[in-house]
């Protein structure tokens, strides 16, 4: 499914209306044997991450060889399937990708060509959602807003 600007705006507005913000932090220990690189594929390096409460971490990765970004949300403690998501959107190109469903360990991968553009990205585990906007802009001035609800 492709993100539209209005879908992202509604999701971001909903997340921001809660009023809870947090700075990006180092990820907690990931689910056993699952890494962003195993989910996204070889050549992807983690360039950013944000905790999804105490439930897990959403990772933004980048592959310099093809200019693609990949997002994956990984639970700290895999278990019974819960609602999870991983999504990414490039405002400048109106391109995005998402993965929503019931998963036991991780959601994603979600891919988009992001080279030279700021990206909006995030994920969710159960009822905890994370949205990071206008991040990883490369040489552009970076504006970052992170929200957790």
């Amino acid at each position: 499914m492709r993100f539209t600007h209005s879908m992202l705006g509604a999701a971001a507005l909903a997340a921001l209306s809660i009023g809870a913000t947090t700075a990006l932090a180092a990820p907690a220990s990931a689910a056993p044997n699952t890494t962003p690189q195993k989910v996204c594929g070889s050549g992807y390096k983690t360039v950013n991450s944000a905790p999804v409460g105490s439930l897990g971490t959403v990772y933004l990765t980048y592959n310099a060889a093809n200019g693609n970004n990949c997002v994956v949300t990984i639970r700290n403690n895999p278990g019974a399937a819960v609602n999870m998501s991983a999504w990414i959107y490039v405002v400048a190109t109106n391109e995005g990708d998402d993965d929503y469903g019931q998963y036991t360990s991780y959601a994603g991968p979600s891919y988009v060509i992001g080279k030279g553009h700021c990206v909006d990205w995030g994920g969710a585990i159960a009822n905890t959602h994370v949205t990071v906007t206008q991040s990883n802009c490369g040489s552009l001035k970076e504006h970052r807003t992170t929200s957790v609800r």
Side-chain angles (χ1 to χ4, degrees), residues 5-61:
H5 188 66
S6 61
M7 288 171 62
L8 178 64
L13 181 60
L16 291 172
S17 68
I18 300 300
T21 60
T22 183
L24 295 178
S29 61
N33 301 319
T34 303
T35 67
Q37 290 71 32
K38 286 183 180 178
V39 178
C40 293
S42 65
Y44 284 86
K45 306 282 188 230
T46 299
V47 294
N48 214 332
S49 65
V52 184
S54 62
L55 302 174
T57 304
V58 59
Y59 296 90
L60 174 66
T61 67

Side-chain angles (χ1 to χ4, degrees), residues 90-145:
V90 179
V91 174
T93 63
N94 198 34
E95 295 291 326
D97 190 26
D98 59 62
D99 180 33
Y100 291 89
Q102 293 258 324
Y103 300 112
T104 60
S105 182
Y106 65 88
S110 295
Y111 297 98
V112 72
I113 296 173
K115 184 174 184 174
H117 302 288
C118 299
V119 294
D120 295 352
W121 54 280
I125 302 171
N127 292 319
T128 304
H129 303 261
V130 174
T131 299
V132 181
T133 59
Q134 298 297 290
S135 78
N136 296 79
C137 301
S139 62
L140 303 173
K141 183 179 178 187
E142 185 169 330
H143 302 282
R144 182 183 315 153
T145 304

